[in-house]
Amino acid sequence: MRYLLAVIFILLTITAQAHEEKGKPYALVIHGGAGTILKKNMTPQKERSIRAKMAEALRMGQAVLDRGGMATEAVVVTLKVLEDSPLFNAGRGAVFTHEGRNEMDASLMDGRDLNAGAVAGVTHVKNPITLAREVMVHSKHVMLAGSGAEEFASTRNIEMVDAGYFRTEKRWQQLQKALQKEKASIEAENQIAALGYDPEDPDQKFGTVGAAALDSHGNLAAGTSTGGMTNKRWNRIGDSPVIGAGTYADNNSCALSATGHGEYFIRAAVAHSICALMEYKGLTLQQAADEIIMKKLVKMGGEGGIVALDRDGNISMTFNTEGMYRGYVKGHSEPVIKIYKTED
Ligand code: ASP
């Protein structure tokens, strides 16, 4: 009898250890853009669709992490779902440039070795985040732009589409509205409207998508994908494809993706600054995020937010706007999705 109990005890210990090994905590956090997102301007139907699509994206990434997949893979799989949805300003449903084109930017970073890949101003790549990964893994470079990036895409197995694929009526109307406003204030001090960001527009939101993941091997990764800003011109590129501004990942500190008024995020080197505050100053993730998003950016007048993860699985979803589409899963948990500031 004693012998039997000892065997059962040993078996239980081994099972518990194996479970712990396999079940190291993993987590995934995403955003779908920040801005003046107010409940009074939202239809229940639209809100439902957005929440459902974000939950779907989280579940896809969660499945990758659950089977021991890499953080980078989880980020790509998750962002592809959001790029394919016309609800967000990335891939299909991207905003229009001044000339009526969809020019997209994306980036991906691996926290294991600080490898990174980014593309800017692509117009035929169905999923820009997949091309960012190809740049990271299969080129000697970090960032490729425009036709060169698409030429590189043609040497890889990347799905290309006609430019019309990205077009949605809603984004087209947003451009028309921005063009009218621009015309009306041509002389104006209203440079901001010229870049498509108008704080007085109640429907204003950015709609960029981003993700940060911690995999069961303890590695961090982050990625971001966007159409940029409505009515952008002159091949304007925002923060999303800029490593250190819109995206950063380092196993020594954190992984994060940003969304907001990109010019400010580039100037404040938002993504890297938050990680650096953790690594060099010993701040917690939330302290670092507050420092940059709630203090530094606010002082500069830069609106937006971030989603981020540290290697212990702590999550930050910090923004200085009225709302940010955001959500996360931790291990097997059901997706948690939030939109408004008041939901915290
Ligand atoms: N940060 C993006 C850009 O400036 C826009 C966004 O996040 O919605 O291009």
Short mmCIF file of all heavy atoms in Angstrom, two decimals, residues 31-97:
data_model
loop_
_atom_site.label_atom_id
_atom_site.label_comp_id
_atom_site.label_asym_id
_atom_site.label_seq_id
_atom_site.Cartn_x
_atom_site.Cartn_y
_atom_site.Cartn_z
N HIS A 31 -4.50 46.18 -30.14
CA HIS A 31 -5.32 47.39 -30.27
C HIS A 31 -5.84 47.50 -31.69
O HIS A 31 -5.30 46.88 -32.61
CB HIS A 31 -4.53 48.66 -29.88
CG HIS A 31 -3.44 49.02 -30.84
ND1 HIS A 31 -3.69 49.58 -32.08
CD2 HIS A 31 -2.10 48.89 -30.77
CE1 HIS A 31 -2.54 49.78 -32.70
NE2 HIS A 31 -1.55 49.38 -31.93
N GLY A 32 -6.90 48.29 -31.82
CA GLY A 32 -7.48 48.53 -33.14
C GLY A 32 -7.60 50.02 -33.37
O GLY A 32 -8.49 50.49 -34.08
N GLY A 33 -6.69 50.79 -32.73
CA GLY A 33 -6.67 52.24 -32.94
C GLY A 33 -7.22 53.01 -31.76
O GLY A 33 -8.02 52.49 -30.96
N ALA A 34 -6.74 54.24 -31.62
CA ALA A 34 -7.19 55.11 -30.53
C ALA A 34 -7.72 56.41 -31.12
O ALA A 34 -7.43 56.74 -32.26
CB ALA A 34 -6.01 55.42 -29.60
N GLY A 35 -8.49 57.14 -30.35
CA GLY A 35 -8.99 58.43 -30.81
C GLY A 35 -10.24 58.82 -30.05
O GLY A 35 -10.50 58.32 -28.96
N THR A 36 -11.00 59.73 -30.65
CA THR A 36 -12.22 60.19 -30.01
C THR A 36 -13.32 59.16 -30.25
O THR A 36 -14.16 59.33 -31.11
CB THR A 36 -12.63 61.57 -30.54
OG1 THR A 36 -11.49 62.41 -30.47
CG2 THR A 36 -13.74 62.17 -29.71
N ILE A 37 -13.25 58.10 -29.48
CA ILE A 37 -14.24 57.03 -29.65
C ILE A 37 -15.24 57.16 -28.50
O ILE A 37 -14.93 56.83 -27.36
CB ILE A 37 -13.56 55.64 -29.61
CG1 ILE A 37 -12.38 55.59 -30.59
CG2 ILE A 37 -14.57 54.55 -29.94
CD1 ILE A 37 -11.50 54.37 -30.43
N LEU A 38 -16.42 57.68 -28.82
CA LEU A 38 -17.42 57.92 -27.79
C LEU A 38 -18.63 57.03 -28.03
O LEU A 38 -19.03 56.83 -29.17
CB LEU A 38 -17.86 59.39 -27.81
CG LEU A 38 -16.78 60.41 -27.47
CD1 LEU A 38 -17.24 61.82 -27.79
CD2 LEU A 38 -16.40 60.29 -25.99
N LYS A 39 -19.19 56.56 -26.92
CA LYS A 39 -20.34 55.65 -27.04
C LYS A 39 -21.48 56.32 -27.79
O LYS A 39 -22.17 55.67 -28.58
CB LYS A 39 -20.79 55.20 -25.65
CG LYS A 39 -21.67 53.99 -25.73
CD LYS A 39 -21.74 53.23 -24.43
CE LYS A 39 -22.62 52.01 -24.62
NZ LYS A 39 -21.90 50.79 -24.88
N LYS A 40 -21.66 57.60 -27.59
CA LYS A 40 -22.80 58.28 -28.23
C LYS A 40 -22.67 58.31 -29.76
O LYS A 40 -23.64 58.52 -30.46
CB LYS A 40 -23.00 59.68 -27.66
CG LYS A 40 -21.90 60.68 -27.95
CD LYS A 40 -22.33 62.05 -27.39
CE LYS A 40 -21.23 63.06 -27.29
NZ LYS A 40 -20.61 63.66 -28.37
N ASN A 41 -21.46 58.11 -30.26
CA ASN A 41 -21.29 58.11 -31.71
C ASN A 41 -21.23 56.70 -32.30
O ASN A 41 -20.96 56.53 -33.48
CB ASN A 41 -19.99 58.83 -32.09
CG ASN A 41 -19.99 60.26 -31.61
OD1 ASN A 41 -21.03 60.91 -31.66
ND2 ASN A 41 -18.87 60.74 -31.12
N MET A 42 -21.46 55.71 -31.46
CA MET A 42 -21.31 54.32 -31.90
C MET A 42 -22.66 53.64 -31.99
O MET A 42 -23.46 53.77 -31.08
CB MET A 42 -20.44 53.62 -30.85
CG MET A 42 -20.09 52.22 -31.15
SD MET A 42 -18.75 52.09 -32.30
CE MET A 42 -17.38 52.21 -31.18
N THR A 43 -22.90 52.91 -33.07
CA THR A 43 -24.13 52.12 -33.10
C THR A 43 -23.85 50.78 -32.41
O THR A 43 -22.71 50.29 -32.46
CB THR A 43 -24.59 51.83 -34.55
OG1 THR A 43 -23.60 51.01 -35.18
CG2 THR A 43 -24.79 53.10 -35.35
N PRO A 44 -24.88 50.20 -31.78
CA PRO A 44 -24.66 48.91 -31.10
C PRO A 44 -24.14 47.86 -32.08
O PRO A 44 -23.31 47.03 -31.73
CB PRO A 44 -26.06 48.53 -30.60
CG PRO A 44 -26.85 49.79 -30.58
CD PRO A 44 -26.26 50.70 -31.61
N GLN A 45 -24.64 47.93 -33.30
CA GLN A 45 -24.23 46.97 -34.33
C GLN A 45 -22.72 47.08 -34.62
O GLN A 45 -22.00 46.09 -34.67
CB GLN A 45 -25.09 47.24 -35.58
CG GLN A 45 -24.53 46.78 -36.89
CD GLN A 45 -24.50 45.25 -36.96
OE1 GLN A 45 -25.26 44.59 -36.27
NE2 GLN A 45 -23.60 44.71 -37.76
N LYS A 46 -22.26 48.33 -34.79
CA LYS A 46 -20.84 48.55 -35.09
C LYS A 46 -19.97 48.09 -33.91
O LYS A 46 -18.94 47.45 -34.09
CB LYS A 46 -20.60 50.04 -35.36
CG LYS A 46 -19.20 50.34 -35.82
CD LYS A 46 -19.06 51.81 -36.20
CE LYS A 46 -17.60 52.16 -36.38
NZ LYS A 46 -17.37 53.61 -36.36
N GLU A 47 -20.45 48.43 -32.72
CA GLU A 47 -19.69 48.05 -31.53
C GLU A 47 -19.57 46.53 -31.42
O GLU A 47 -18.50 46.00 -31.13
CB GLU A 47 -20.36 48.64 -30.28
CG GLU A 47 -19.54 48.42 -29.05
CD GLU A 47 -20.09 49.08 -27.80
OE1 GLU A 47 -20.67 50.19 -27.90
OE2 GLU A 47 -19.95 48.47 -26.74
N ARG A 48 -20.69 45.87 -31.70
CA ARG A 48 -20.69 44.39 -31.65
C ARG A 48 -19.70 43.81 -32.65
O ARG A 48 -18.93 42.91 -32.35
CB ARG A 48 -22.10 43.86 -31.93
CG ARG A 48 -22.86 43.45 -30.68
CD ARG A 48 -24.01 42.52 -30.99
NE ARG A 48 -24.87 43.00 -32.07
CZ ARG A 48 -25.87 43.87 -31.92
NH1 ARG A 48 -26.14 44.37 -30.73
NH2 ARG A 48 -26.59 44.25 -32.95
N SER A 49 -19.74 44.36 -33.89
CA SER A 49 -18.85 43.82 -34.94
C SER A 49 -17.39 44.00 -34.55
O SER A 49 -16.58 43.10 -34.76
CB SER A 49 -19.06 44.52 -36.28
OG SER A 49 -20.39 44.72 -36.54
N ILE A 50 -17.08 45.17 -34.01
CA ILE A 50 -15.68 45.43 -33.65
C ILE A 50 -15.23 44.50 -32.53
O ILE A 50 -14.17 43.89 -32.60
CB ILE A 50 -15.50 46.92 -33.27
CG1 ILE A 50 -15.57 47.76 -34.55
CG2 ILE A 50 -14.18 47.15 -32.54
CD1 ILE A 50 -15.54 49.23 -34.36
N ARG A 51 -16.07 44.38 -31.52
CA ARG A 51 -15.71 43.50 -30.40
C ARG A 51 -15.54 42.05 -30.89
O ARG A 51 -14.62 41.34 -30.47
CB ARG A 51 -16.77 43.56 -29.30
CG ARG A 51 -16.73 44.87 -28.49
CD ARG A 51 -17.77 44.83 -27.37
NE ARG A 51 -17.91 46.12 -26.73
CZ ARG A 51 -17.17 46.53 -25.68
NH1 ARG A 51 -16.25 45.76 -25.19
NH2 ARG A 51 -17.38 47.73 -25.16
N ALA A 52 -16.44 41.62 -31.76
CA ALA A 52 -16.39 40.24 -32.25
C ALA A 52 -15.12 40.00 -33.06
O ALA A 52 -14.45 38.98 -32.93
CB ALA A 52 -17.62 39.92 -33.09
N LYS A 53 -14.78 40.96 -33.92
CA LYS A 53 -13.58 40.79 -34.76
C LYS A 53 -12.33 40.79 -33.90
O LYS A 53 -11.40 40.00 -34.14
CB LYS A 53 -13.54 41.90 -35.82
CG LYS A 53 -12.54 41.74 -36.90
CD LYS A 53 -12.52 40.37 -37.56
CE LYS A 53 -13.62 40.14 -38.56
NZ LYS A 53 -13.50 38.84 -39.26
N MET A 54 -12.29 41.63 -32.89
CA MET A 54 -11.11 41.65 -32.02
C MET A 54 -10.99 40.34 -31.23
O MET A 54 -9.88 39.81 -31.06
CB MET A 54 -11.16 42.86 -31.09
CG MET A 54 -10.98 44.15 -31.86
SD MET A 54 -10.87 45.59 -30.81
CE MET A 54 -9.21 45.45 -30.19
N ALA A 55 -12.12 39.82 -30.80
CA ALA A 55 -12.10 38.55 -30.06
C ALA A 55 -11.61 37.44 -30.99
O ALA A 55 -10.81 36.58 -30.59
CB ALA A 55 -13.48 38.22 -29.51
N GLU A 56 -12.07 37.47 -32.23
CA GLU A 56 -11.64 36.45 -33.21
C GLU A 56 -10.12 36.52 -33.41
O GLU A 56 -9.43 35.49 -33.41
CB GLU A 56 -12.36 36.70 -34.54
CG GLU A 56 -12.02 35.70 -35.62
CD GLU A 56 -12.55 36.13 -37.00
OE1 GLU A 56 -13.58 36.85 -37.07
OE2 GLU A 56 -11.92 35.77 -38.00
N ALA A 57 -9.61 37.73 -33.56
CA ALA A 57 -8.17 37.91 -33.77
C ALA A 57 -7.39 37.38 -32.56
O ALA A 57 -6.39 36.67 -32.71
CB ALA A 57 -7.85 39.38 -34.02
N LEU A 58 -7.87 37.71 -31.37
CA LEU A 58 -7.19 37.25 -30.15
C LEU A 58 -7.19 35.73 -30.07
O LEU A 58 -6.19 35.11 -29.70
CB LEU A 58 -7.86 37.84 -28.92
CG LEU A 58 -7.49 39.29 -28.58
CD1 LEU A 58 -8.45 39.86 -27.54
CD2 LEU A 58 -6.05 39.38 -28.07
N ARG A 59 -8.32 35.12 -30.44
CA ARG A 59 -8.40 33.66 -30.36
C ARG A 59 -7.42 32.99 -31.33
O ARG A 59 -6.83 31.96 -31.02
CB ARG A 59 -9.82 33.18 -30.64
CG ARG A 59 -10.73 33.40 -29.47
CD ARG A 59 -11.96 32.51 -29.50
NE ARG A 59 -12.79 32.81 -28.35
CZ ARG A 59 -13.77 33.70 -28.35
NH1 ARG A 59 -14.07 34.34 -29.47
NH2 ARG A 59 -14.45 33.94 -27.26
N MET A 60 -7.28 33.60 -32.50
CA MET A 60 -6.34 33.03 -33.48
C MET A 60 -4.92 33.07 -32.92
O MET A 60 -4.17 32.10 -33.03
CB MET A 60 -6.39 33.83 -34.79
CG MET A 60 -7.69 33.71 -35.55
SD MET A 60 -7.93 32.08 -36.25
CE MET A 60 -6.81 32.16 -37.64
N GLY A 61 -4.54 34.20 -32.35
CA GLY A 61 -3.20 34.32 -31.78
C GLY A 61 -3.02 33.42 -30.58
O GLY A 61 -1.96 32.80 -30.38
N GLN A 62 -4.07 33.32 -29.78
CA GLN A 62 -4.05 32.48 -28.58
C GLN A 62 -3.79 31.01 -28.97
O GLN A 62 -3.03 30.31 -28.31
CB GLN A 62 -5.41 32.60 -27.89
CG GLN A 62 -5.54 31.94 -26.55
CD GLN A 62 -6.92 32.19 -25.96
OE1 GLN A 62 -7.93 32.23 -26.69
NE2 GLN A 62 -6.98 32.38 -24.66
N ALA A 63 -4.40 30.58 -30.06
CA ALA A 63 -4.23 29.19 -30.51
C ALA A 63 -2.77 28.92 -30.86
O ALA A 63 -2.23 27.86 -30.55
CB ALA A 63 -5.14 28.90 -31.70
N VAL A 64 -2.14 29.90 -31.49
CA VAL A 64 -0.71 29.76 -31.84
C VAL A 64 0.11 29.62 -30.56
O VAL A 64 0.96 28.73 -30.44
CB VAL A 64 -0.22 30.98 -32.65
CG1 VAL A 64 1.29 30.95 -32.82
CG2 VAL A 64 -0.93 31.06 -34.00
N LEU A 65 -0.14 30.49 -29.61
CA LEU A 65 0.64 30.48 -28.36
C LEU A 65 0.36 29.21 -27.56
O LEU A 65 1.25 28.65 -26.93
CB LEU A 65 0.31 31.72 -27.53
CG LEU A 65 0.70 33.06 -28.18
CD1 LEU A 65 0.14 34.23 -27.40
CD2 LEU A 65 2.22 33.18 -28.30
N ASP A 66 -0.87 28.75 -27.62
CA ASP A 66 -1.27 27.58 -26.85
C ASP A 66 -0.56 26.31 -27.31
O ASP A 66 -0.26 25.43 -26.52
CB ASP A 66 -2.78 27.40 -26.93
CG ASP A 66 -3.26 26.45 -25.86
OD1 ASP A 66 -2.95 26.70 -24.69
OD2 ASP A 66 -3.90 25.44 -26.21
N ARG A 67 -0.28 26.25 -28.63
CA ARG A 67 0.43 25.05 -29.09
C ARG A 67 1.95 25.25 -29.07
O ARG A 67 2.70 24.53 -29.73
CB ARG A 67 -0.05 24.63 -30.47
CG ARG A 67 0.19 25.63 -31.58
CD ARG A 67 -0.08 24.99 -32.96
NE ARG A 67 -0.38 25.98 -33.96
CZ ARG A 67 0.50 26.80 -34.51
NH1 ARG A 67 1.77 26.76 -34.13
NH2 ARG A 67 0.13 27.66 -35.44
N GLY A 68 2.39 26.27 -28.33
CA GLY A 68 3.84 26.48 -28.17
C GLY A 68 4.46 27.28 -29.29
O GLY A 68 5.68 27.31 -29.43
N GLY A 69 3.63 27.92 -30.12
CA GLY A 69 4.14 28.73 -31.24
C GLY A 69 4.86 29.98 -30.75
O GLY A 69 4.76 30.37 -29.59
N MET A 70 5.63 30.58 -31.67
CA MET A 70 6.44 31.75 -31.34
C MET A 70 5.60 33.02 -31.23
O MET A 70 4.60 33.17 -31.94
CB MET A 70 7.49 31.99 -32.42
CG MET A 70 8.35 30.78 -32.73
SD MET A 70 9.21 30.22 -31.27
CE MET A 70 10.36 31.55 -31.06
N ALA A 71 6.09 33.94 -30.42
CA ALA A 71 5.39 35.23 -30.25
C ALA A 71 5.25 35.96 -31.59
O ALA A 71 4.20 36.53 -31.89
CB ALA A 71 6.14 36.09 -29.25
N THR A 72 6.30 35.90 -32.42
CA THR A 72 6.22 36.60 -33.71
C THR A 72 5.10 36.03 -34.57
O THR A 72 4.37 36.76 -35.22
CB THR A 72 7.55 36.48 -34.49
OG1 THR A 72 7.99 35.14 -34.45
CG2 THR A 72 8.62 37.39 -33.93
N GLU A 73 4.98 34.70 -34.54
CA GLU A 73 3.93 34.07 -35.35
C GLU A 73 2.55 34.48 -34.83
O GLU A 73 1.64 34.78 -35.62
CB GLU A 73 4.09 32.54 -35.30
CG GLU A 73 3.23 31.84 -36.34
CD GLU A 73 3.07 30.35 -36.08
OE1 GLU A 73 3.86 29.76 -35.32
OE2 GLU A 73 2.12 29.78 -36.66
N ALA A 74 2.40 34.51 -33.52
CA ALA A 74 1.11 34.90 -32.94
C ALA A 74 0.74 36.32 -33.35
O ALA A 74 -0.42 36.62 -33.68
CB ALA A 74 1.16 34.79 -31.42
N VAL A 75 1.73 37.20 -33.35
CA VAL A 75 1.47 38.60 -33.73
C VAL A 75 1.01 38.68 -35.19
O VAL A 75 0.02 39.34 -35.51
CB VAL A 75 2.74 39.47 -33.50
CG1 VAL A 75 2.60 40.83 -34.17
CG2 VAL A 75 2.99 39.63 -32.01
N VAL A 76 1.70 37.96 -36.07
CA VAL A 76 1.36 38.02 -37.49
C VAL A 76 -0.04 37.44 -37.74
O VAL A 76 -0.87 38.05 -38.42
CB VAL A 76 2.43 37.27 -38.34
CG1 VAL A 76 1.97 37.13 -39.79
CG2 VAL A 76 3.76 38.00 -38.27
N VAL A 77 -0.30 36.28 -37.15
CA VAL A 77 -1.60 35.62 -37.35
C VAL A 77 -2.74 36.53 -36.85
O VAL A 77 -3.77 36.69 -37.50
CB VAL A 77 -1.61 34.26 -36.61
CG1 VAL A 77 -3.00 33.73 -36.40
CG2 VAL A 77 -0.75 33.25 -37.38
N THR A 78 -2.52 37.15 -35.70
CA THR A 78 -3.53 38.02 -35.11
C THR A 78 -3.78 39.25 -35.99
O THR A 78 -4.93 39.62 -36.27
CB THR A 78 -3.05 38.50 -33.71
OG1 THR A 78 -2.78 37.35 -32.93
CG2 THR A 78 -4.08 39.34 -33.02
N LEU A 79 -2.69 39.86 -36.43
CA LEU A 79 -2.85 41.10 -37.20
C LEU A 79 -3.44 40.84 -38.58
O LEU A 79 -4.14 41.69 -39.14
CB LEU A 79 -1.52 41.84 -37.30
CG LEU A 79 -1.00 42.42 -35.98
CD1 LEU A 79 0.26 43.24 -36.19
CD2 LEU A 79 -2.07 43.26 -35.29
N LYS A 80 -3.19 39.65 -39.12
CA LYS A 80 -3.79 39.32 -40.42
C LYS A 80 -5.32 39.35 -40.35
O LYS A 80 -5.98 39.82 -41.26
CB LYS A 80 -3.34 37.92 -40.87
CG LYS A 80 -2.10 37.97 -41.75
CD LYS A 80 -1.70 36.57 -42.18
CE LYS A 80 -2.51 36.09 -43.37
NZ LYS A 80 -2.02 34.78 -43.88
N VAL A 81 -5.85 38.85 -39.25
CA VAL A 81 -7.32 38.85 -39.10
C VAL A 81 -7.84 40.29 -39.14
O VAL A 81 -8.85 40.59 -39.79
CB VAL A 81 -7.73 38.18 -37.76
CG1 VAL A 81 -9.23 38.30 -37.53
CG2 VAL A 81 -7.28 36.72 -37.73
N LEU A 82 -7.13 41.18 -38.46
CA LEU A 82 -7.59 42.57 -38.40
C LEU A 82 -7.34 43.29 -39.73
O LEU A 82 -8.14 44.12 -40.15
CB LEU A 82 -6.89 43.29 -37.24
CG LEU A 82 -7.19 42.68 -35.86
CD1 LEU A 82 -6.35 43.34 -34.78
CD2 LEU A 82 -8.68 42.76 -35.51
N GLU A 83 -6.24 42.95 -40.41
CA GLU A 83 -5.99 43.54 -41.73
C GLU A 83 -7.06 43.12 -42.73
O GLU A 83 -7.44 43.91 -43.61
CB GLU A 83 -4.62 43.07 -42.26
CG GLU A 83 -3.43 43.74 -41.62
CD GLU A 83 -2.09 43.27 -42.18
OE1 GLU A 83 -2.03 42.17 -42.76
OE2 GLU A 83 -1.10 43.99 -42.03
N ASP A 84 -7.54 41.89 -42.59
CA ASP A 84 -8.56 41.40 -43.54
C ASP A 84 -9.93 42.00 -43.29
O ASP A 84 -10.82 41.88 -44.13
CB ASP A 84 -8.65 39.87 -43.45
CG ASP A 84 -7.42 39.20 -44.04
OD1 ASP A 84 -6.67 39.87 -44.78
OD2 ASP A 84 -7.20 38.00 -43.77
N SER A 85 -10.12 42.59 -42.12
CA SER A 85 -11.42 43.16 -41.79
C SER A 85 -11.50 44.63 -42.23
O SER A 85 -10.62 45.42 -41.91
CB SER A 85 -11.65 43.08 -40.28
OG SER A 85 -12.70 43.96 -39.92
N PRO A 86 -12.59 45.00 -42.93
CA PRO A 86 -12.73 46.40 -43.35
C PRO A 86 -13.01 47.35 -42.19
O PRO A 86 -13.05 48.57 -42.37
CB PRO A 86 -13.93 46.35 -44.31
CG PRO A 86 -14.67 45.12 -43.95
CD PRO A 86 -13.68 44.15 -43.39
N LEU A 87 -13.17 46.80 -40.99
CA LEU A 87 -13.50 47.65 -39.84
C LEU A 87 -12.31 48.49 -39.38
O LEU A 87 -12.46 49.48 -38.68
CB LEU A 87 -13.95 46.78 -38.66
CG LEU A 87 -15.28 46.06 -38.82
CD1 LEU A 87 -15.44 45.04 -37.72
CD2 LEU A 87 -16.42 47.06 -38.84
N PHE A 88 -11.10 48.05 -39.75
CA PHE A 88 -9.90 48.73 -39.23
C PHE A 88 -9.10 49.38 -40.34
O PHE A 88 -9.18 48.97 -41.50
CB PHE A 88 -9.04 47.72 -38.45
CG PHE A 88 -9.78 47.07 -37.33
CD1 PHE A 88 -10.42 45.85 -37.51
CD2 PHE A 88 -9.90 47.71 -36.11
CE1 PHE A 88 -11.14 45.26 -36.48
CE2 PHE A 88 -10.62 47.13 -35.07
CZ PHE A 88 -11.24 45.90 -35.26
N ASN A 89 -8.31 50.35 -39.93
CA ASN A 89 -7.48 51.08 -40.89
C ASN A 89 -6.15 50.35 -41.10
O ASN A 89 -5.09 50.79 -40.68
CB ASN A 89 -7.25 52.50 -40.34
CG ASN A 89 -6.23 53.27 -41.14
OD1 ASN A 89 -5.95 52.94 -42.29
ND2 ASN A 89 -5.65 54.30 -40.52
N ALA A 90 -6.26 49.19 -41.74
CA ALA A 90 -5.07 48.39 -42.05
C ALA A 90 -5.51 47.35 -43.07
O ALA A 90 -6.62 46.82 -42.96
CB ALA A 90 -4.56 47.68 -40.81
N GLY A 91 -4.70 47.08 -44.06
CA GLY A 91 -5.11 46.15 -45.10
C GLY A 91 -6.42 46.63 -45.71
O GLY A 91 -6.61 47.82 -45.98
N ARG A 92 -7.38 45.72 -45.90
CA ARG A 92 -8.67 46.10 -46.46
C ARG A 92 -9.37 47.07 -45.51
O ARG A 92 -9.50 46.79 -44.32
CB ARG A 92 -9.51 44.83 -46.67
CG ARG A 92 -10.81 45.10 -47.27
CD ARG A 92 -11.30 43.94 -48.12
NE ARG A 92 -12.60 44.30 -48.59
CZ ARG A 92 -13.74 43.93 -48.01
NH1 ARG A 92 -13.71 43.13 -46.97
NH2 ARG A 92 -14.88 44.36 -48.48
N GLY A 93 -9.77 48.23 -46.04
CA GLY A 93 -10.38 49.24 -45.17
C GLY A 93 -9.39 50.31 -44.75
O GLY A 93 -9.70 51.16 -43.90
N ALA A 94 -8.20 50.28 -45.33
CA ALA A 94 -7.19 51.32 -45.02
C ALA A 94 -7.70 52.68 -45.49
O ALA A 94 -8.50 52.77 -46.42
CB ALA A 94 -5.87 50.99 -45.72
N VAL A 95 -7.21 53.72 -44.85
CA VAL A 95 -7.64 55.07 -45.23
C VAL A 95 -6.99 55.47 -46.57
O VAL A 95 -6.04 54.84 -47.02
CB VAL A 95 -7.25 56.11 -44.15
CG1 VAL A 95 -7.95 55.81 -42.84
CG2 VAL A 95 -5.74 56.19 -43.97
N PHE A 96 -7.54 56.54 -47.14
CA PHE A 96 -7.04 57.00 -48.44
C PHE A 96 -6.06 58.17 -48.30
O PHE A 96 -6.20 59.01 -47.42
CB PHE A 96 -8.21 57.46 -49.32
CG PHE A 96 -8.96 56.31 -49.91
CD1 PHE A 96 -10.07 55.79 -49.26
CD2 PHE A 96 -8.57 55.73 -51.11
CE1 PHE A 96 -10.77 54.73 -49.79
CE2 PHE A 96 -9.26 54.66 -51.66
CZ PHE A 96 -10.37 54.16 -51.00
N THR A 97 -5.11 58.19 -49.23
CA THR A 97 -4.19 59.33 -49.31
C THR A 97 -4.91 60.49 -50.01
O THR A 97 -6.00 60.32 -50.56
CB THR A 97 -2.95 58.99 -50.15
OG1 THR A 97 -3.38 58.76 -51.50
CG2 THR A 97 -2.23 57.78 -49.62
#
